[in-house]
Amino acid sequence: MEVIIKQDAAAVAQVAADIFADYIKQENVVLGLATGSTPLAMYQELIRRHKEEGLSFAHARAFLLDEYIGLPRDHEQSYYRTIRNEFTDHIDIDDSVVLSPDGLAENPTEAGKAYDKAIAEAGGVDIQLLGIGTDGHIGFNEPGSSLVSRTRMKTLHPQTIKDNARFFPSAADVPIHVLTQGLGTITEARHLLLLATGEGKAEAIAATVEGPVAAFCPASVLQLHPHATVLIDEAAASKLQFAEYYHYAYDHKPTWQRP
């Protein structure tokens, strides 16, 4: 696992966009996209590079991490709609290849299996963007999730519902069930890029990077991945014991290995 600590959220977004852009320039790239507040600045920078610098997504396809169960696709808080509003409607990717779990499926178990099959048939995800919850969840794999789980239905933790209530009229309006890629599905991506900013994520980041690999902190599964990058700001890094070393290691990384 590589830990990159930047000064602030704006710097995190720039480095994240650099990393993503390197993949986007490849032929037939498969992107793993995430929703939430943290990726927004990176998406805005990629949109700018598309419009001003000619960065093209025309040869890419994309898979989302998760979807609320029961929300129609045209609901403003469905992740199907959110990723389009915030990102893919503003670039030149074909809308038909921006795929997400089917939150309206009659049989979520079969829908999960179908989604994993679609990812495999696409050749797997080249780079998977991840955020992290305050309880250490990635995707919607809440604490206690199997480290080898597949795409399936999950019940949201009350803390996650509370965190997401800001996007809804009230916490009572947040769906409590989701269809999410499992930790086993996520870690099949060739490169995992986890973004976190702000002091509110500091404990989760410390558990992810320096704690034990355990279902208690689902994101700790990144420690087992051969190519995982944790890109955070100083505030999110504030509880890391070895932050000084992570700075040193990045500062002395060969320039050809840097994004």
Side-chain angles (χ1 to χ4, degrees):
M1 177 189 295
E2 179 181 27
V3 180
I4 302 174
I5 304 172
K6 307 305 290 185
Q7 180 177 359
D8 54 28
V12 166
Q14 287 293 321
V15 175
D18 290 342
I19 294 171
F20 245 67
D22 284 343
Y23 281 91
I24 293 160
K25 294 171 184 176
Q26 300 174 13
E27 291 296 323
N28 302 315
V29 65
V30 179
L31 306 174
L33 302 180
T35 52
S37 302
T38 305
L40 288 179
M42 186 201 79
Y43 289 150
Q44 291 165 1
E45 173 60 16
L46 290 173
I47 292 167
R48 185 197 66 77
R49 294 185 192 190
H50 166 66
K51 293 182 175 179
E52 298 180 10
E53 301 175 9
L55 180 65
S56 177
F57 298 75
H59 54 280
R61 66 179 70 186
F63 289 89
L64 270 66
L65 277 172
D66 39 43
E67 183 57 276
Y68 288 114
I69 287 180
L71 286 190
R73 284 185 165 183
D74 59 358
H75 190 285
E76 61 178 343
Q77 295 304 331
S78 75
Y79 292 139
Y80 177 92
R81 186 70 261 152
T82 297
I83 199 64
R84 287 162 172 79
N85 290 342
E86 295 177 346
F87 185 41
T88 62
D89 280 352
H90 307 283
I91 56 176
D92 60 340
I93 192 171
D94 190 319
D95 189 66
S96 67
V97 297
V98 180
L99 304 180
S100 55
D102 184 1
L104 297 177
E106 291 185 8
N107 188 328
T109 299
E110 292 304 316
K113 292 178 181 178
Y115 199 64
D116 280 351
K117 182 179 179 181
I119 293 173
E121 290 177 346
V125 172
D126 291 298
I127 180 167
Q128 176 64 61
L129 184 67
L130 298 168
I132 185 170
T134 55
D135 60 2
H137 74 255
I138 54 175
F140 275 127
N141 294 280
E142 301 284 18
S145 294
S146 166
L147 301 183
V148 295
S149 53
R150 310 301 301 177
T151 301
R152 71 224 185 279
M153 186 179 78
K154 287 292 289 183
T155 301
L156 296 184
H157 191 284
Q159 181 61 51
T160 303
I161 293 173
K162 181 180 178 181
D163 290 344
N164 288 1
R166 66 189 187 278
F167 301 115
F168 291 83
S170 72
D173 296 297
V174 182
I176 64 172
H177 295 110
V178 293
L179 195 60
T180 182
Q181 285 189 39
L183 297 173
T185 306
I186 290 169
T187 53
E188 286 176 352
R190 285 176 274 281
H191 185 182
L192 303 180
L193 175 61
L194 187 150
L195 308 183
T197 58
E199 191 173 355
K201 300 295 179 69
E203 289 189 5
I205 287 298
T208 295
V209 175
E210 297 177 344
V213 177
F216 173 81
C217 177
S220 65
V221 75
L222 269 69
Q223 294 181 35
L224 302 177
H225 197 276
H227 192 188
T229 302
V230 176
L231 176 55
I232 54 181
D233 66 0
E234 292 284 0
S238 61
K239 294 188 182 300
L240 290 173
Q241 295 185 43
F242 297 103
E244 184 176 352
Y245 169 69
Y246 305 138
H247 277 297
Y248 180 88
Y250 183 75
D251 290 343
H252 290 81
K253 187 175 181 177
T255 55
W256 58 270
Q257 287 188 330
R258 295 190 183 188

